[in-house]
């Protein structure tokens, strides 16, 4: 192979119905798509056995062991879903009653303070008093610091005695944490299980690690904007306070207490984000939730802290976790970052998940690449004949899907976009330099993978340490 050689490639990202599974012959690249999987009428073991009998999968005893574990989990999900539906009904009733009682207690406290002469100085411009708090967030005549904290705790204790403790979460079936060598079928088996849960579990999500981190960042940013310092102050005053038939000084105190509660909540942003991480906001009913997490890893401090906070909350509130990784749980943090937080997270994960090593030494990606001529094409070397073949394939695929070849702009996140120079009906074309030589990252690639089922990449150079960043 000449050192200056270049290749062109076409990647079908696995959105086509012709795609085969990763142990079989036509798997190409893992899709980051979050679209709903097709309905599976049977469990993962039956599906796996059928694919082996059809010759679409090669029988692998290591994979079969994992599928059996998935089947055991699958068999417990339907009953768990019913338990969680009942739990969420009770939880909603408890939350509603607790909020009603909390407001009553706050109004009673405020009126008592007024009767005791705490606000002896009568303000003749009632509405302006509240207005000053609105404009400047000046919490007048309220206990600062420790006093407010004690007041908040006392109120919470009273609520516990009036309303009772939070309903207990039904014990969830143990999830699965599957680890093993690259290409041994972890993702394929997890996706097979996830597809089988459609229609059984009400709330389910399947994320790749990078996609999950982006979603956590996005949700944290959204929560901060809605509840934090960036939020316009006038919206911080709840309508229930504004509509109370009480003195403006009472409203001012109540608004201050509400703001203090918001400040406390901001200190626990990860649990708040976790509560909305999986739930389908369009659904009128709540039930069980399952999170399938592909290639879990700890690449930096934020990943460790965020995963610990989010996962711990989900696991203790009834979410079933299924995760894949190349490493065993205790080997995820080899650099020892945030060791105490990491160790607590892993202990919780081990408590809520069965840890299974897939054990297979076969890299089925290489097997698929050797045998597949349908979904992967590497064209080399970069000469006139290869370029002509590449252009021919581009025309064939775009003609197959129809439509006009145009440029496109894809939304990424936080207002960012990525430009696609050439695209047509789910097919896109890039040069290697355009995809890898510019300041782009996981969010950009995920946006491309979500919008295009087929990717053409041209002018790929021979890899070397000189272009390590692009590699």
């Amino acid at each position: 192979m000449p050192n200056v050689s270049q290749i062109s490639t076409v990647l079908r990202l696995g959105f086509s119905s012709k795609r085969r599974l990763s142990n079989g012959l036509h798997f190409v690249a893992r899709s980051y798509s979050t679209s709903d999987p097709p309905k599976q009428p049977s469990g993962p073991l039956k599906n796996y056995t059928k694919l082996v009998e059809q010759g679409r999968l090669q029988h692998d005893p290591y994979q079969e062991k994992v599928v059996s574990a998935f089947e055991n989990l699958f068999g417990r999900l339907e009953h768990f879903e019913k338990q969680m539906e009942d739990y969420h009904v009770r939880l909603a009733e408890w939350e509603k009653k607790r909020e009603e009682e909390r407001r009553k207690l706050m109004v009673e406290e405020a009126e008592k303070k007024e009767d005791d002469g705490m606000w002896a100085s009568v303000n003749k411009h009632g509405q302006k008093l509240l207005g000053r708090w609105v404009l400047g967030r000046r919490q007048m005549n309220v206990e600062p610091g420790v006093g407010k904290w004690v007041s908040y705790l006392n109120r919470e204790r009273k609520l516990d005695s009036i309303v009772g403790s939070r309903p207990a979460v039904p014990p969830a079936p143990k999830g699965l944490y599957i680890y093993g060598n690259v290409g041994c079928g972890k993702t394929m088996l997890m996706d097979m299980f996830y597809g089988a849960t459609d229609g059984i579990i009400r709330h389910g999500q399947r994320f790749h690690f990078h996609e999950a981190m982006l979603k956590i960042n996005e949700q944290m940013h959204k929560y901060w904007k809605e509840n934090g310092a960036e939020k316009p102050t006038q919206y911080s005053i709840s309508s229930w306070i504004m509509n109370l038939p009480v003195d403006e000084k009472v409203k001012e105190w109540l608004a201050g207490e509400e703001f203090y509660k918001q400040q406390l909540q901001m200190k626990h942003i990860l649990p708040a984000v976790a509560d909305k991480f999986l739930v389908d906001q369009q659904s009128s009913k709540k039930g069980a939730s399952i999170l399938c997490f592909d290639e879990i890893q700890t690449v930096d401090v934020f990943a460790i802290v965020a995963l610990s906070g989010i996962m711990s909350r989900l696991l203790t509130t009834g979410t079933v976790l299924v995760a894949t990784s190349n490493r065993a749980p205790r080997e995820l943090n080899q650099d020892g970052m945030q060791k105490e937080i990491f160790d607590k997270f892993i202990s919780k994960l081990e408590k809520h998940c069965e840890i299974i090593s897939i054990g297979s030494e076969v890299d089925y990606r290489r097997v698929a690449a050797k045998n597949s001529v349908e979904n992967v094409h590497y064209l080399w070397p970069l000469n006139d004949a290869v370029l002509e073949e590449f252009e021919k394939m581009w025309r064939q695929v775009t003609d197959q899907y129809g439509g006009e070849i145009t440029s496109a702009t894809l939304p990424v996140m936080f207002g960012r976009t990525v430009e696609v120079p050439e695209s047509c009906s789910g097919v896109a074309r890039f040069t290697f330099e355009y995809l890898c030589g510019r300041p782009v990252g996981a969010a950009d690639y995920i946006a491309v993978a979500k919008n295009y089922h087929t990717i053409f990449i041209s002018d790929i150079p021979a890899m070397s340490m000189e272009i390590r960043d692009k590699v």
Side-chain angles (χ1 to χ4, degrees):
M1 178 184 298
N3 290 333
V4 295
S5 68
Q6 296 181 313
I7 60 176
S8 298
T9 184
V10 136
L11 295 183
R12 301 280 178 88
L13 289 180
F15 291 78
S16 168
S17 60
K18 295 180 180 178
R19 170 198 177 199
R20 295 188 187 177
L21 299 172
S22 69
N23 170 306
L25 298 183
H26 291 331
F27 178 83
V28 180
R30 293 174 186 172
S31 164
Y32 289 99
S33 171
T34 56
S35 57
D36 293 333
K39 290 189 177 182
Q40 299 285 347
S42 53
L45 182 58
K46 185 175 180 180
N47 292 333
Y48 177 82
T49 303
K50 183 178 179 180
L51 290 170
V52 171
E53 291 173 349
Q54 292 174 345
R56 296 176 63 189
L57 290 182
Q58 174 183 316
H59 178 260
D60 186 319
Y62 297 102
Q63 290 184 355
E64 191 172 49
K65 176 186 69 174
V66 175
V67 174
S68 296
F70 273 128
E71 185 70 21
N72 290 335
L73 173 58
F74 180 79
R76 294 183 297 223
L77 290 180
E78 189 170 1
H79 177 63
F80 180 59
E81 168 68 24
K82 293 176 181 177
Q83 288 182 310
M84 288 300 290
E85 285 182 3
D86 177 66
Y87 161 75
H88 280 294
V89 170
R90 290 184 285 111
L91 178 63
E93 293 173 350
W94 178 83
E95 289 176 338
K96 180 181 178 181
K97 185 176 180 182
R98 188 178 179 90
E99 179 61 18
E100 291 173 350
E101 293 297 332
R102 186 181 72 86
R103 294 180 182 184
K104 287 181 184 178
L105 285 178
M106 289 177 64
V107 172
E108 289 172 3
E109 286 180 44
E111 290 176 341
K112 185 176 186 301
K113 290 178 186 295
E114 187 176 31
D115 293 340
D116 291 345
M118 182 175 179
W119 301 306
S121 175
V122 179
N123 191 301
K124 297 181 180 180
H125 308 285
Q127 192 61 40
K128 291 183 179 179
L129 182 66
L130 183 60
R132 287 203 302 272
W133 188 90
V134 171
L135 294 174
R137 266 188 182 164
R138 299 170 184 171
Q139 299 174 44
M140 303 171 62
N141 299 322
V142 293
E143 309 95 324
V146 175
K148 291 184 71 64
W149 173 240
V150 172
S151 176
Y152 174 81
L153 288 180
N154 287 337
R155 194 178 304 127
E156 291 299 305
R157 291 192 188 99
K158 289 179 181 178
L159 287 171
D160 288 340
S161 63
I162 295 171
V163 183
S165 58
R166 183 187 181 96
V169 181
K174 264 196 170 187
L176 295 175
Y177 180 102
I178 305 162
Y179 70 97
N181 296 326
V182 296
C184 63
K186 304 182 296 293
T187 298
M188 176 201 72
L189 298 177
M190 183 187 73
D191 287 346
M192 188 182 297
F193 166 77
Y194 181 66
T197 64
D198 187 30
I200 296 177
I201 293 295
R202 187 172 299 278
H203 304 289
Q205 291 283 3
R206 189 267 195 214
F207 293 114
H208 183 272
F209 169 78
H210 292 299
E211 191 178 17
M213 290 296 102
L214 290 171
K215 183 175 176 67
I216 290 171
N217 269 289
E218 187 176 31
Q219 292 293 324
M220 288 176 67
H221 181 72
K222 182 179 179 181
Y223 185 84
W224 173 253
K225 286 190 70 174
E226 292 177 350
N227 300 279
E230 295 181 15
K231 182 179 178 182
T233 312
Q234 58 266 33
Y235 296 112
S236 300
I237 303 177
S238 302
S239 60
W240 73 271
I241 295 177
M242 298 295 290
N243 296 328
L244 284 174
V246 296
D247 189 274
E248 296 301 330
K249 297 185 296 298
V250 176
K251 289 183 180 181
E252 180 191 1
W253 183 84
L254 291 170
E257 293 296 301
E258 284 284 85
F259 178 57
Y260 183 73
K261 179 188 174 186
Q262 289 178 6
Q263 288 180 310
L264 291 179
Q265 290 174 338
M266 286 302 298
K267 295 178 181 180
H268 304 282
I269 189 170
L270 289 176
V273 170
D275 289 342
K276 298 183 179 180
F277 195 62
L278 296 180
V279 174
D280 178 6
Q281 300 301 320
Q282 305 301 318
S283 176
S284 59
K285 293 182 65 177
K286 292 184 178 181
S289 57
I290 186 165
L291 171 61
C292 289
F293 201 134
D294 193 25
E295 293 197 9
I296 192 169
Q297 51 191 288
T298 54
V299 295
D300 51 33
V301 171
F302 174 76
I304 291 175
V305 174
L307 283 176
S308 176
I310 297 288
M311 296 296 181
S312 295
R313 177 72 168 187
L314 292 175
L315 290 173
T316 53
T317 53
T319 295
V320 177
L321 173 66
V322 173
T324 72
S325 180
N326 296 336
R327 301 177 184 273
R330 296 282 173 183
E331 297 174 359
L332 285 172
N333 186 21
Q334 295 187 332
D335 293 332
M337 299 179 291
Q338 295 290 323
K339 190 174 185 306
E340 184 177 350
I341 294 176
F342 173 78
D343 288 344
K344 288 182 179 179
F345 164 55
I346 295 302
S347 296
K348 185 157 289 187
L349 188 146
E350 290 174 338
K351 177 182 177 182
H352 290 271
C353 292
E354 181 182 356
I355 313 299
I356 301 178
S357 170
I358 199 167
S360 177
E361 298 294 331
V362 180
D363 185 346
Y364 287 104
R365 301 173 307 167
R366 295 183 180 273
V367 175
K370 281 184 179 180
N371 294 281
S372 174
V373 294
E374 181 184 347
N375 283 342
V376 180
H377 299 277
Y378 296 98
L379 307 179
W380 171 88
L382 193 61
N383 55 32
D384 291 343
V386 166
L387 287 175
E388 184 178 346
E389 178 66 18
F390 185 76
E391 293 296 335
K392 180 181 177 182
M393 292 179 63
W394 168 253
R395 290 193 299 270
Q396 286 177 342
V397 173
T398 53
D399 288 346
Q400 175 187 345
Y401 288 101
E404 182 182 357
I405 298 175
T406 61
S407 61
T409 301
L410 306 179
V412 180
M413 62 186 301
F414 301 133
R416 289 184 57 247
T417 60
V418 59
E419 301 296 326
V420 182
E422 294 181 85
S423 65
C424 171
S425 303
V427 184
R429 177 172 174 171
F430 302 90
T431 64
F432 174 83
E433 185 65 25
Y434 191 87
L435 279 181
C436 303
R438 301 183 308 122
V440 294
D444 303 89
Y445 300 131
I446 290 172
V448 170
K450 282 183 175 180
N451 284 275
Y452 299 103
H453 53 72
T454 304
I455 306 295
F456 283 71
I457 308 172
S458 64
D459 303 312
I460 302 176
M463 303 299 162
S464 69
M465 291 300 292
E466 293 178 358
I467 57 168
R468 182 179 179 182
D469 58 332
K470 298 177 183 180
V471 173

